[in-house]
PDB file of all heavy atoms in Angstrom:
ATOM      1  N   ARG A 299      94.711  88.139  98.265  1.00  0.00           N
ATOM      2  CA  ARG A 299      93.741  88.420  97.175  1.00  0.00           C
ATOM      3  C   ARG A 299      92.994  89.675  97.765  1.00  0.00           C
ATOM      4  O   ARG A 299      92.409  89.684  98.694  1.00  0.00           O
ATOM      5  CB  ARG A 299      92.687  87.258  96.970  1.00  0.00           C
ATOM      6  CG  ARG A 299      91.744  87.440  95.884  1.00  0.00           C
ATOM      7  CD  ARG A 299      91.150  86.169  95.516  1.00  0.00           C
ATOM      8  NE  ARG A 299      91.917  85.305  94.669  1.00  0.00           N
ATOM      9  CZ  ARG A 299      92.089  85.626  93.260  1.00  0.00           C
ATOM     10  NH1 ARG A 299      91.558  86.682  92.676  1.00  0.00           N
ATOM     11  NH2 ARG A 299      92.879  84.848  92.523  1.00  0.00           N
ATOM     12  N   ILE A 300      92.927  90.615  96.831  1.00  0.00           N
ATOM     13  CA  ILE A 300      92.147  91.880  97.062  1.00  0.00           C
ATOM     14  C   ILE A 300      91.261  92.200  95.812  1.00  0.00           C
ATOM     15  O   ILE A 300      91.740  92.359  94.742  1.00  0.00           O
ATOM     16  CB  ILE A 300      93.187  93.043  97.247  1.00  0.00           C
ATOM     17  CG1 ILE A 300      94.116  92.791  98.438  1.00  0.00           C
ATOM     18  CG2 ILE A 300      92.319  94.383  97.575  1.00  0.00           C
ATOM     19  CD1 ILE A 300      95.239  93.630  98.473  1.00  0.00           C
ATOM     20  N   GLY A 301      89.944  92.031  95.996  1.00  0.00           N
ATOM     21  CA  GLY A 301      89.149  92.051  94.788  1.00  0.00           C
ATOM     22  C   GLY A 301      89.382  90.896  93.976  1.00  0.00           C
ATOM     23  O   GLY A 301      89.494  89.849  94.299  1.00  0.00           O
ATOM     24  N   ASN A 302      89.655  91.251  92.627  1.00  0.00           N
ATOM     25  CA  ASN A 302      90.002  90.180  91.744  1.00  0.00           C
ATOM     26  C   ASN A 302      91.577  90.227  91.431  1.00  0.00           C
ATOM     27  O   ASN A 302      92.068  89.564  90.471  1.00  0.00           O
ATOM     28  CB  ASN A 302      89.216  90.350  90.323  1.00  0.00           C
ATOM     29  CG  ASN A 302      89.469  91.746  89.641  1.00  0.00           C
ATOM     30  OD1 ASN A 302      90.340  92.439  90.098  1.00  0.00           O
ATOM     31  ND2 ASN A 302      88.934  91.837  88.500  1.00  0.00           N
ATOM     32  N   GLN A 303      92.337  90.718  92.321  1.00  0.00           N
ATOM     33  CA  GLN A 303      93.749  90.781  92.084  1.00  0.00           C
ATOM     34  C   GLN A 303      94.354  89.982  93.168  1.00  0.00           C
ATOM     35  O   GLN A 303      93.910  89.970  94.263  1.00  0.00           O
ATOM     36  CB  GLN A 303      94.342  92.195  92.115  1.00  0.00           C
ATOM     37  CG  GLN A 303      93.823  93.132  91.069  1.00  0.00           C
ATOM     38  CD  GLN A 303      94.253  94.506  91.267  1.00  0.00           C
ATOM     39  OE1 GLN A 303      94.376  95.002  92.323  1.00  0.00           O
ATOM     40  NE2 GLN A 303      94.498  95.226  90.154  1.00  0.00           N
ATOM     41  N   GLU A 304      95.636  89.414  92.945  1.00  0.00           N
ATOM     42  CA  GLU A 304      96.353  88.697  93.932  1.00  0.00           C
ATOM     43  C   GLU A 304      97.715  89.289  93.951  1.00  0.00           C
ATOM     44  O   GLU A 304      98.594  89.139  92.929  1.00  0.00           O
ATOM     45  CB  GLU A 304      96.479  87.239  93.573  1.00  0.00           C
ATOM     46  CG  GLU A 304      97.051  86.309  94.661  1.00  0.00           C
ATOM     47  CD  GLU A 304      96.886  84.920  94.225  1.00  0.00           C
ATOM     48  OE1 GLU A 304      96.169  84.450  93.553  1.00  0.00           O
ATOM     49  OE2 GLU A 304      97.767  84.167  94.997  1.00  0.00           O
ATOM     50  N   TRP A 305      98.044  89.991  95.029  1.00  0.00           N
ATOM     51  CA  TRP A 305      99.314  90.686  95.206  1.00  0.00           C
ATOM     52  C   TRP A 305     100.285  89.900  96.094  1.00  0.00           C
ATOM     53  O   TRP A 305      99.899  89.219  96.946  1.00  0.00           O
ATOM     54  CB  TRP A 305      98.971  92.024  95.887  1.00  0.00           C
ATOM     55  CG  TRP A 305      98.238  92.982  94.956  1.00  0.00           C
ATOM     56  CD1 TRP A 305      96.881  93.104  94.878  1.00  0.00           C
ATOM     57  CD2 TRP A 305      98.767  94.061  94.218  1.00  0.00           C
ATOM     58  NE1 TRP A 305      96.601  94.070  94.038  1.00  0.00           N
ATOM     59  CE2 TRP A 305      97.733  94.674  93.579  1.00  0.00           C
ATOM     60  CE3 TRP A 305     100.108  94.572  93.958  1.00  0.00           C
ATOM     61  CZ2 TRP A 305      97.966  95.794  92.789  1.00  0.00           C
ATOM     62  CZ3 TRP A 305     100.203  95.652  93.177  1.00  0.00           C
ATOM     63  CH2 TRP A 305      99.083  96.345  92.612  1.00  0.00           C
ATOM     64  N   MET A 306     101.589  90.198  95.895  1.00  0.00           N
ATOM     65  CA  MET A 306     102.488  89.702  96.808  1.00  0.00           C
ATOM     66  C   MET A 306     102.382  90.495  98.117  1.00  0.00           C
ATOM     67  O   MET A 306     102.032  91.660  98.081  1.00  0.00           O
ATOM     68  CB  MET A 306     103.980  89.893  96.371  1.00  0.00           C
ATOM     69  CG  MET A 306     104.362  88.986  95.216  1.00  0.00           C
ATOM     70  SD  MET A 306     106.110  89.215  94.817  1.00  0.00           S
ATOM     71  CE  MET A 306     106.423  87.661  93.877  1.00  0.00           C
ATOM     72  N   THR A 307     102.713  89.870  99.243  1.00  0.00           N
ATOM     73  CA  THR A 307     102.553  90.541 100.597  1.00  0.00           C
ATOM     74  C   THR A 307     103.794  91.192 101.044  1.00  0.00           C
ATOM     75  O   THR A 307     103.857  91.760 102.111  1.00  0.00           O
ATOM     76  CB  THR A 307     102.113  89.522 101.608  1.00  0.00           C
ATOM     77  OG1 THR A 307     103.010  88.484 101.676  1.00  0.00           O
ATOM     78  CG2 THR A 307     100.723  88.998 101.323  1.00  0.00           C
ATOM     79  N   ARG A 308     104.950  91.026 100.218  1.00  0.00           N
ATOM     80  CA  ARG A 308     106.231  91.699 100.512  1.00  0.00           C
ATOM     81  C   ARG A 308     106.620  92.428  99.363  1.00  0.00           C
ATOM     82  O   ARG A 308     106.463  92.134  98.219  1.00  0.00           O
ATOM     83  CB  ARG A 308     107.169  90.700 101.009  1.00  0.00           C
ATOM     84  CG  ARG A 308     106.905  89.953 102.353  1.00  0.00           C
ATOM     85  CD  ARG A 308     107.907  88.967 102.755  1.00  0.00           C
ATOM     86  NE  ARG A 308     109.364  89.413 102.741  1.00  0.00           N
ATOM     87  CZ  ARG A 308     109.878  90.131 103.675  1.00  0.00           C
ATOM     88  NH1 ARG A 308     109.210  90.263 104.811  1.00  0.00           N
ATOM     89  NH2 ARG A 308     111.136  90.549 103.515  1.00  0.00           N
ATOM     90  N   ASN A 309     107.653  93.325  99.615  1.00  0.00           N
ATOM     91  CA  ASN A 309     108.240  94.060  98.463  1.00  0.00           C
ATOM     92  C   ASN A 309     109.201  93.135  97.861  1.00  0.00           C
ATOM     93  O   ASN A 309     109.807  92.241  98.485  1.00  0.00           O
ATOM     94  CB  ASN A 309     108.999  95.354  99.018  1.00  0.00           C
ATOM     95  CG  ASN A 309     108.110  96.407  99.525  1.00  0.00           C
ATOM     96  OD1 ASN A 309     106.855  96.283  99.212  1.00  0.00           O
ATOM     97  ND2 ASN A 309     108.629  97.260 100.379  1.00  0.00           N
ATOM     98  N   LEU A 310     109.462  93.378  96.545  1.00  0.00           N
ATOM     99  CA  LEU A 310     110.281  92.495  95.801  1.00  0.00           C
ATOM    100  C   LEU A 310     111.799  92.537  96.355  1.00  0.00           C
ATOM    101  O   LEU A 310     112.197  93.705  96.748  1.00  0.00           O
ATOM    102  CB  LEU A 310     110.398  92.865  94.273  1.00  0.00           C
ATOM    103  CG  LEU A 310     110.964  92.019  93.285  1.00  0.00           C
ATOM    104  CD1 LEU A 310     110.233  90.566  93.327  1.00  0.00           C
ATOM    105  CD2 LEU A 310     110.925  92.509  91.908  1.00  0.00           C
ATOM    106  N   ASP A 311     112.435  91.375  96.286  1.00  0.00           N
ATOM    107  CA  ASP A 311     113.836  91.356  96.908  1.00  0.00           C
ATOM    108  C   ASP A 311     114.702  90.392  96.024  1.00  0.00           C
ATOM    109  O   ASP A 311     115.232  89.472  96.505  1.00  0.00           O
ATOM    110  CB  ASP A 311     113.718  90.891  98.308  1.00  0.00           C
ATOM    111  CG  ASP A 311     115.040  91.013  99.108  1.00  0.00           C
ATOM    112  OD1 ASP A 311     115.949  91.737  98.664  1.00  0.00           O
ATOM    113  OD2 ASP A 311     115.250  90.443 100.049  1.00  0.00           O
ATOM    114  N   VAL A 312     114.813  90.773  94.745  1.00  0.00           N
ATOM    115  CA  VAL A 312     115.582  89.889  93.903  1.00  0.00           C
ATOM    116  C   VAL A 312     116.809  90.708  93.359  1.00  0.00           C
ATOM    117  O   VAL A 312     116.707  91.871  93.231  1.00  0.00           O
ATOM    118  CB  VAL A 312     114.813  89.360  92.739  1.00  0.00           C
ATOM    119  CG1 VAL A 312     113.542  88.334  93.217  1.00  0.00           C
ATOM    120  CG2 VAL A 312     114.176  90.409  91.846  1.00  0.00           C
ATOM    121  N   ASP A 313     117.784  90.002  93.059  1.00  0.00           N
ATOM    122  CA  ASP A 313     119.030  90.687  92.511  1.00  0.00           C
ATOM    123  C   ASP A 313     119.348  90.165  91.033  1.00  0.00           C
ATOM    124  O   ASP A 313     120.388  90.444  90.482  1.00  0.00           O
ATOM    125  CB  ASP A 313     120.233  90.519  93.411  1.00  0.00           C
ATOM    126  CG  ASP A 313     120.709  89.081  93.529  1.00  0.00           C
ATOM    127  OD1 ASP A 313     120.066  88.055  93.051  1.00  0.00           O
ATOM    128  OD2 ASP A 313     121.766  88.815  94.225  1.00  0.00           O
ATOM    129  N   ARG A 314     118.379  89.282  90.502  1.00  0.00           N
ATOM    130  CA  ARG A 314     118.542  88.792  89.168  1.00  0.00           C
ATOM    131  C   ARG A 314     117.271  89.049  88.440  1.00  0.00           C
ATOM    132  O   ARG A 314     116.254  89.018  88.989  1.00  0.00           O
ATOM    133  CB  ARG A 314     118.851  87.260  89.079  1.00  0.00           C
ATOM    134  CG  ARG A 314     120.290  87.051  89.769  1.00  0.00           C
ATOM    135  CD  ARG A 314     120.545  85.555  89.728  1.00  0.00           C
ATOM    136  NE  ARG A 314     121.888  85.259  90.230  1.00  0.00           N
ATOM    137  CZ  ARG A 314     122.948  85.299  89.502  1.00  0.00           C
ATOM    138  NH1 ARG A 314     122.960  85.413  88.218  1.00  0.00           N
ATOM    139  NH2 ARG A 314     124.213  84.956  90.124  1.00  0.00           N
ATOM    140  N   PHE A 315     117.474  89.213  86.996  1.00  0.00           N
ATOM    141  CA  PHE A 315     116.259  89.226  86.203  1.00  0.00           C
ATOM    142  C   PHE A 315     115.736  87.829  86.102  1.00  0.00           C
ATOM    143  O   PHE A 315     116.403  86.885  86.387  1.00  0.00           O
ATOM    144  CB  PHE A 315     116.691  89.806  84.765  1.00  0.00           C
ATOM    145  CG  PHE A 315     117.007  91.321  84.856  1.00  0.00           C
ATOM    146  CD1 PHE A 315     118.184  91.757  84.678  1.00  0.00           C
ATOM    147  CD2 PHE A 315     115.897  92.199  85.164  1.00  0.00           C
ATOM    148  CE1 PHE A 315     118.492  93.143  84.595  1.00  0.00           C
ATOM    149  CE2 PHE A 315     116.167  93.606  85.131  1.00  0.00           C
ATOM    150  CZ  PHE A 315     117.554  93.979  84.939  1.00  0.00           C
ATOM    151  N   ARG A 316     114.502  87.696  85.541  1.00  0.00           N
ATOM    152  CA  ARG A 316     113.949  86.363  85.389  1.00  0.00           C
ATOM    153  C   ARG A 316     114.753  85.450  84.582  1.00  0.00           C
ATOM    154  O   ARG A 316     114.800  84.289  84.783  1.00  0.00           O
ATOM    155  CB  ARG A 316     112.626  86.510  84.730  1.00  0.00           C
ATOM    156  CG  ARG A 316     111.718  85.295  84.701  1.00  0.00           C
ATOM    157  CD  ARG A 316     110.404  85.383  84.017  1.00  0.00           C
ATOM    158  NE  ARG A 316     109.531  86.491  84.797  1.00  0.00           N
ATOM    159  CZ  ARG A 316     108.341  86.880  84.329  1.00  0.00           C
ATOM    160  NH1 ARG A 316     107.876  86.359  83.241  1.00  0.00           N
ATOM    161  NH2 ARG A 316     107.772  87.755  85.017  1.00  0.00           N
ATOM    162  N   ASN A 317     115.554  85.927  83.613  1.00  0.00           N
ATOM    163  CA  ASN A 317     116.409  85.071  82.746  1.00  0.00           C
ATOM    164  C   ASN A 317     117.687  84.713  83.512  1.00  0.00           C
ATOM    165  O   ASN A 317     118.563  83.911  82.857  1.00  0.00           O
ATOM    166  CB  ASN A 317     116.710  85.710  81.400  1.00  0.00           C
ATOM    167  CG  ASN A 317     117.720  86.922  81.586  1.00  0.00           C
ATOM    168  OD1 ASN A 317     117.974  87.398  82.543  1.00  0.00           O
ATOM    169  ND2 ASN A 317     118.247  87.321  80.463  1.00  0.00           N
ATOM    170  N   GLY A 318     117.946  85.205  84.643  1.00  0.00           N
ATOM    171  CA  GLY A 318     119.193  84.768  85.425  1.00  0.00           C
ATOM    172  C   GLY A 318     120.293  85.820  85.379  1.00  0.00           C
ATOM    173  O   GLY A 318     121.263  85.786  86.199  1.00  0.00           O
ATOM    174  N   ASP A 319     120.166  86.830  84.609  1.00  0.00           N
ATOM    175  CA  ASP A 319     121.182  87.900  84.509  1.00  0.00           C
ATOM    176  C   ASP A 319     121.110  88.741  85.895  1.00  0.00           C
ATOM    177  O   ASP A 319     120.031  89.026  86.360  1.00  0.00           O
ATOM    178  CB  ASP A 319     120.905  88.932  83.320  1.00  0.00           C
ATOM    179  CG  ASP A 319     121.286  88.277  82.012  1.00  0.00           C
ATOM    180  OD1 ASP A 319     121.859  87.158  81.971  1.00  0.00           O
ATOM    181  OD2 ASP A 319     120.946  88.868  81.006  1.00  0.00           O
ATOM    182  N   LEU A 320     122.405  89.102  86.322  1.00  0.00           N
ATOM    183  CA  LEU A 320     122.401  90.005  87.526  1.00  0.00           C
ATOM    184  C   LEU A 320     121.907  91.324  87.220  1.00  0.00           C
ATOM    185  O   LEU A 320     122.243  91.817  86.204  1.00  0.00           O
ATOM    186  CB  LEU A 320     123.893  89.996  87.944  1.00  0.00           C
ATOM    187  CG  LEU A 320     124.310  88.885  88.939  1.00  0.00           C
ATOM    188  CD1 LEU A 320     125.810  88.954  89.118  1.00  0.00           C
ATOM    189  CD2 LEU A 320     123.630  88.799  90.217  1.00  0.00           C
ATOM    190  N   ILE A 321     121.139  91.919  88.168  1.00  0.00           N
ATOM    191  CA  ILE A 321     120.858  93.306  88.142  1.00  0.00           C
ATOM    192  C   ILE A 321     121.947  94.023  88.837  1.00  0.00           C
ATOM    193  O   ILE A 321     122.310  93.679  90.065  1.00  0.00           O
ATOM    194  CB  ILE A 321     119.554  93.526  88.916  1.00  0.00           C
ATOM    195  CG1 ILE A 321     118.393  92.632  88.206  1.00  0.00           C
ATOM    196  CG2 ILE A 321     119.086  94.978  88.724  1.00  0.00           C
ATOM    197  CD1 ILE A 321     117.128  92.575  89.215  1.00  0.00           C
ATOM    198  N   PRO A 322     122.539  95.071  88.327  1.00  0.00           N
ATOM    199  CA  PRO A 322     123.621  95.846  88.919  1.00  0.00           C
ATOM    200  C   PRO A 322     123.298  96.399  90.362  1.00  0.00           C
ATOM    201  O   PRO A 322     122.183  96.969  90.395  1.00  0.00           O
ATOM    202  CB  PRO A 322     124.006  96.874  87.994  1.00  0.00           C
ATOM    203  CG  PRO A 322     123.555  96.317  86.633  1.00  0.00           C
ATOM    204  CD  PRO A 322     122.349  95.608  86.989  1.00  0.00           C
ATOM    205  N   HIS A 323     123.964  96.067  91.311  1.00  0.00           N
ATOM    206  CA  HIS A 323     123.860  96.660  92.655  1.00  0.00           C
ATOM    207  C   HIS A 323     124.671  97.927  92.645  1.00  0.00           C
ATOM    208  O   HIS A 323     125.956  97.830  92.609  1.00  0.00           O
ATOM    209  CB  HIS A 323     124.309  95.708  93.741  1.00  0.00           C
ATOM    210  CG  HIS A 323     124.257  96.086  95.095  1.00  0.00           C
ATOM    211  ND1 HIS A 323     124.905  95.465  96.194  1.00  0.00           N
ATOM    212  CD2 HIS A 323     123.648  97.197  95.717  1.00  0.00           C
ATOM    213  CE1 HIS A 323     124.651  96.221  97.316  1.00  0.00           C
ATOM    214  NE2 HIS A 323     123.795  97.147  97.016  1.00  0.00           N
ATOM    215  N   VAL A 324     124.097  99.110  92.874  1.00  0.00           N
ATOM    216  CA  VAL A 324     124.706 100.396  92.798  1.00  0.00           C
ATOM    217  C   VAL A 324     124.640 101.046  94.075  1.00  0.00           C
ATOM    218  O   VAL A 324     123.457 101.324  94.641  1.00  0.00           O
ATOM    219  CB  VAL A 324     124.174 101.224  91.669  1.00  0.00           C
ATOM    220  CG1 VAL A 324     124.822 102.631  91.689  1.00  0.00           C
ATOM    221  CG2 VAL A 324     124.277 100.490  90.336  1.00  0.00           C
TER     222      VAL A 324
END
């Protein structure tokens, strides 16, 4: 938590969209 925001402490590392579809690995 920083000020009134709550951030993830790591960079995003997903290979699928929220709906389950694969994001192309290029």
Side-chain angles (χ1 to χ4, degrees):
R299 179 167 285 280
I300 304 166
N302 62 359
Q303 297 175 325
E304 190 174 340
W305 292 82
M306 286 186 168
T307 57
R308 294 181 49 88
N309 294 344
L310 194 63
D311 189 19
V312 299
D313 63 358
R314 292 180 181 271
F315 289 112
R316 191 181 297 175
N317 74 349
D319 290 351
L320 277 172
I321 304 165
H323 178 195
V324 179

